[in-house]
């Protein structure tokens, strides 16, 4: 029997437990809330918001406000300075640094010991459990997993307290047994200079039996490209014959899928999307034929949702999981075993099913274009680009888009800055296909485009090679879990990138 065959037995009990997600979603979530409130009732936040006397969800929602990071920032900073029992029991030593997508401000998300076990590592284990269930012939544990992470640094110089990418925190705290089946070595994995890290990872792994990959698609692709450069091979399976699965998350996979399929041509290669963020691990693609993900309901996270058509109003409706409807766009609100209470995560989702609860990520509450009432979201953008690429044979590496509010001819439009891996023969046709598909996907966009009265035809600007990586490097965000801002309602980021694009031509 292979090593994978032996390890597979470890996951059988959990695979059976996951069946409760089909019909018992509300029960699972009510129990999670009960545990969270009981555990945190003696914290400062718990006492102030009457966790100890809460009889259930209604009491919790009545006594606890919905929070953004700004509302919790003061308490989190006290925790970072070593204070105990503020948002979560005891002292929290780890903080996941997240710079967001629309400004340079850093967020420091507390990661408690409970959160490590019940929010993050549990998600990683379930990813393997589901993958092995779906792939009975897998031999992933007969080789090693390439896990791509970020870096960390001291937190206010407090002993044993660090801040950094969530991936670095997970690597730092991972069980020693896991190090037997993962690469690169910890010293390489935690390097802060991505360009140096990329080269070292490629050199360390080129001669290994790599069977599985885990990481952000954009950064992993950069590492794999370096592997191909060093080995001189054409396809990745020539380097790693046993490669069989990529567990990916952090950004949408659609813009990168074609590049991966060209790099890895094996028909036995699998791709599994995960929804893991600095704040927690929330979803897993449990069916390879269905792009929606299963919402993980028995971790240390309680979910609520704000309908996006009410988001930002004075008194928006907030519903628990059992109050959601399929096909409606929601902002996600979470309460976790890391001390985030009714926290607006910043992601938007739409449910495709409620038995079990399955969803797709549709974008960000701050990553959209609604300058003219068009309400364009990232999901629209991804589908539109995929259509235009399929019709023209083009490949998109990176992109961002923003409104042009009014030019010298009093015309308003959307401007797309796109870095192509494979350029379409006719940029104008590509733009036309994208524009048409966006109208088919989004009735508000279609209405604003009607006869070019409110919103004119979109404009595409070609980005030079490596523009987006160079912009990230200037911002100190190259590597790790940093993301390209896809859609923005202002032109701040677009103007920075356009200036950098023009400078390279001078």
């Amino acid at each position: 029997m292979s090593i994978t065959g032996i390890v597979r037995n470890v996951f059988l009990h959990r695979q059976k437990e996951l069946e409760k997600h089909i019909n018992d979603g509300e029960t699972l979530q009510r129990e999670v809330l009960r545990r969270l409130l009981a555990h945190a009732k003696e914290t400062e936040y718990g006492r102030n918001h009457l966790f100890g006397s809460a009889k259930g969800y209604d009491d919790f929602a009545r006594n606890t406000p919905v929070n953004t990071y700004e509302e919790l920032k003061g308490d989190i900073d006290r925790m970072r300075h070593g204070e105990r029992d503020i948002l979560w029991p005891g002292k929290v030593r780890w903080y996941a640094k997240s710079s967001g997508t629309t400004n340079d401000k850093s967020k420091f998300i507390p990661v408690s010991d409970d959160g490590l076990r019940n929010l993050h590592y549990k998600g990683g284990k379930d990813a393997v459990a589901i993958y092995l269930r779906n792939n009975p012939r897998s031999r992933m544990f007969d080789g090693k997993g390439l896990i791509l992470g970020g870096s960390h640094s001291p937190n206010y110089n407090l002993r044993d307290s660090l801040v950094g990418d969530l991936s670095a925190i997970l690597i730092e705290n991972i069980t020693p047994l896991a190090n037997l089946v993962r690469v690169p070595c910890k010293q390489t994995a935690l390097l802060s200079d991505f360009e140096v890290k990329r080269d070292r990872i490629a050199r360390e792994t080129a001669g290994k039996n790599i069977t599985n990959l885990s990481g952000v698609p954009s950064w992993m692709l950069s590492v794999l490209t370096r592997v191909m450069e060093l080995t001189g091979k054409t396809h990745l399976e020539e380097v790693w014959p046993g490669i069989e699965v990529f567990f990916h998350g952090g950004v949408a996979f659609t813009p990168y899928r074609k590049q991966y399929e060209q790099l890895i041509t094996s028909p036995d290669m699998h791709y599994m999307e995960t929804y893991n963020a600095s704040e927690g691990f929330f979803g897993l693609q449990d069916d390879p034929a269905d792009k929606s993900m299963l919402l993980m309901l028995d971790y240390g996270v309680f979910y609520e949702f704000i309908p996006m058509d009410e988001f930002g109003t004075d008194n928006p409706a907030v519903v628990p999981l059992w109050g959601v409807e399929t096909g409606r766009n929601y902002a996600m609100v979470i309460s976790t075993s890391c001390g985030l209470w009714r926290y607006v995560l910043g992601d938007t989702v739409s449910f495709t099913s409620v038995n079990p609860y399955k969803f797709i990520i549709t974008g960000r509450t701050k990553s959209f274009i609604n300058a003219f009432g068009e309400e364009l979201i990232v999901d629209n953008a991804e589908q539109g680009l995929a259509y235009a690429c399929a019709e023209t044979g083009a490949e998109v590496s990176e992109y961002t888009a923003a409104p042009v509010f009014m030019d010298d001819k009093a015309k308003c439009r959307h401007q797309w800055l796109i870095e192509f891996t494979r350029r379409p023969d006719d940029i104008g046709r590509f733009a036309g296909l994208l524009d048409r598909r966006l109208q088919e996907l989004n009735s508000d966009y279609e209405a604003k485009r009607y006869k070019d009265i409110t919103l004119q035809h979109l404009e595409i600007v070609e980005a030079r090679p490596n523009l987006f990586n160079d912009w990230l490097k200037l911002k100190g965000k190259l590597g790790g879990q940093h993301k390209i801002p896809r859609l923005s309602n202002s032109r701040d980021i677009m103007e920075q990138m356009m200036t950098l694009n023009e400078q390279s031509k001078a």
Side-chain angles (χ1 to χ4, degrees):
M1 181 180 288
S2 71
I3 296 174
T4 305
I6 297 171
V7 174
R8 183 184 297 277
N9 294 324
V10 175
F11 295 93
L12 293 178
H13 177 70
R14 181 56 182 166
Q15 290 167 351
K16 185 70 175 177
E17 279 189 335
L18 287 170
E19 295 177 6
K20 296 178 182 178
H21 281 63
I22 298 175
N23 296 310
D24 297 338
E26 180 177 345
T27 301
L28 291 173
Q29 275 287 278
R30 288 188 183 275
E31 174 59 20
V32 167
L33 179 61
R34 186 198 66 76
R35 290 200 311 265
L36 289 174
L37 295 178
H39 205 63
K41 65 183 180 181
E42 297 302 328
T43 63
E44 181 180 298
Y45 196 88
R47 291 193 301 270
N48 290 342
H49 296 90
L50 307 178
F51 286 3
S53 61
K55 302 300 183 185
Y57 172 70
D58 290 340
D59 287 346
F60 170 66
R62 181 169 50 252
N63 296 331
T64 311
V66 173
N67 294 296
T68 65
Y69 181 79
E70 306 308 322
E71 276 84 51
L72 298 178
K73 181 179 178 180
D75 285 337
I76 291 173
D77 199 55
R78 291 169 59 199
M79 294 165 66
R80 288 187 62 206
H81 278 90
E83 292 192 45
R84 303 173 62 91
D85 304 322
I86 305 298
L87 295 172
W88 192 250
K91 183 183 290 187
V92 176
R93 298 177 298 129
W94 296 90
Y95 296 86
K97 187 177 181 180
S98 173
S99 56
T101 57
T102 57
N103 56 52
D104 294 329
K105 291 176 107 176
S106 293
K107 298 178 182 178
F108 297 91
I109 306 301
V111 182
S112 67
D113 290 340
D114 292 302
L116 275 174
R117 290 192 304 272
N118 298 320
L119 265 177
H120 296 290
Y121 288 138
K122 194 169 184 179
K125 292 175 183 176
D126 278 355
V128 175
I130 291 172
Y131 176 73
L132 292 178
R133 182 197 67 192
N134 291 339
N135 297 277
R137 297 174 60 190
S138 170
R139 298 186 65 126
M140 66 175 288
F141 285 103
D142 291 28
K144 293 183 181 290
L146 168 51
I147 301 176
L148 185 58
S151 61
H152 56 58
S153 58
N155 169 48
Y156 287 142
N157 293 316
L158 294 180
R159 184 179 178 183
D160 298 327
S161 184
L162 296 172
V163 300
D165 291 318
L166 186 275
S167 55
I169 294 172
L170 297 179
I171 290 171
E172 183 66 46
N173 289 282
I174 200 167
T175 173
L177 287 175
N179 288 320
L180 298 176
V181 293
R182 59 163 288 277
V183 289
C185 68
K186 185 181 288 189
Q187 183 182 14
T188 297
L190 298 177
L191 283 171
S192 58
D193 187 321
F194 179 73
E195 291 170 307
V196 174
K197 176 189 291 189
R198 170 181 180 260
D199 185 68
R200 289 194 186 177
I201 291 175
R203 293 181 186 278
E204 283 184 32
T205 59
K208 299 288 197 305
N209 176 26
I210 306 300
T211 61
N212 58 99
L213 311 170
S214 300
V216 177
S218 53
W219 303 123
M220 183 63 77
L221 188 61
S222 181
V223 170
L224 299 183
T225 299
R226 183 58 180 150
V227 171
M228 304 308 290
E229 291 171 352
L230 289 174
T231 61
K233 302 297 185 182
T234 304
H235 299 114
L236 195 65
E237 61 266 35
E238 297 176 74
V239 184
W240 301 324
I243 191 72
E244 63 173 85
V245 59
F246 179 22
F247 300 99
H248 59 85
V251 298
F253 191 55
T254 301
Y256 305 99
R257 178 176 289 279
K258 195 166 186 179
Q259 295 176 70
Y260 274 91
E261 290 175 348
Q262 291 174 343
L263 180 63
I264 310 170
T265 59
S266 168
D268 296 324
M269 184 65 186
H270 304 281
Y271 298 91
M272 182 174 178
E273 185 168 8
T274 66
Y275 181 15
N276 54 326
S278 298
E279 295 85 354
F281 201 120
F282 308 122
L284 286 165
Q285 185 181 9
D286 67 325
D287 180 354
D290 182 0
K291 72 173 186 176
S292 62
M293 288 183 279
L294 180 70
L295 192 67
M296 308 313 293
L297 304 179
D298 59 354
Y299 295 4
V301 55
F302 179 78
Y303 301 98
E304 296 173 272
F305 301 89
I306 302 175
M308 278 305 291
D309 52 9
E310 298 189 37
F311 188 82
T313 62
D314 290 337
N315 292 295
V318 184
V319 297
L321 180 66
W322 51 91
V324 301
E325 303 170 10
T326 57
R328 195 171 185 184
N329 208 28
Y330 292 98
M332 190 184 265
V333 179
I334 58 172
S335 297
T336 78
S337 55
C338 289
L340 299 177
W341 298 106
R342 303 198 84 195
Y343 177 85
V344 179
L345 182 61
D347 290 341
T348 59
V349 300
S350 178
F351 284 89
T352 60
S353 165
V354 293
N355 284 308
Y357 288 97
K358 299 186 70 170
F359 67 98
I360 57 171
I361 302 171
T362 54
R364 297 278 295 172
T365 56
K366 293 184 179 179
S367 185
F368 59 87
I369 303 179
N370 194 31
F372 315 105
E374 66 274 43
E375 297 189 20
L376 192 73
I377 61 175
V378 173
D379 187 57
N380 299 153
E382 300 286 354
Q383 291 191 54
L385 287 170
Y387 173 78
C389 285
E391 291 294 309
T392 63
E395 293 178 13
V396 171
S397 172
E398 300 287 358
Y399 73 93
T400 192
V404 175
F405 293 98
M406 191 174 290
D407 62 16
D408 56 3
K409 297 179 182 179
K411 299 293 187 180
C412 304
R413 65 187 182 280
H414 288 181
Q415 185 177 59
W416 293 66
L417 181 62
I418 301 179
E419 184 177 330
F420 291 99
T421 305
R422 178 181 294 170
R423 185 185 183 277
D425 292 334
D426 186 340
I427 288 290
R429 179 169 178 258
F430 185 94
L433 290 166
L434 174 58
D435 186 74
R436 187 179 76 195
R437 184 59 177 152
L438 292 177
Q439 292 184 56
E440 293 171 352
L441 292 166
N442 185 318
S443 59
D444 291 313
Y445 182 83
E446 180 184 36
K448 300 305 179 290
R449 284 283 294 115
Y450 180 68
K451 292 186 177 181
D452 292 353
I453 295 172
T454 302
L455 188 64
Q456 280 70 53
H457 197 288
L458 63 84
E459 171 194 9
I460 291 180
V461 177
E462 288 189 70
R464 58 144 172 100
N466 295 316
L467 172 69
F468 288 84
N469 277 355
D470 289 346
W471 180 82
L472 286 170
K473 190 174 182 179
L474 283 174
K475 296 288 181 180
K477 299 180 179 180
L478 188 64
Q481 295 179 307
H482 298 297
K483 308 168 189 176
I484 297 295
R486 296 306 191 192
L487 304 179
S488 178
N489 218 30
S490 76
R491 288 195 57 80
D492 295 345
I493 292 170
M494 178 65 80
E495 292 297 342
Q496 294 172 22
M497 291 193 180
M498 290 286 283
T499 299
L500 192 60
N501 201 40
E502 290 301 316
Q503 286 174 349
S504 67
K505 298 176 182 178

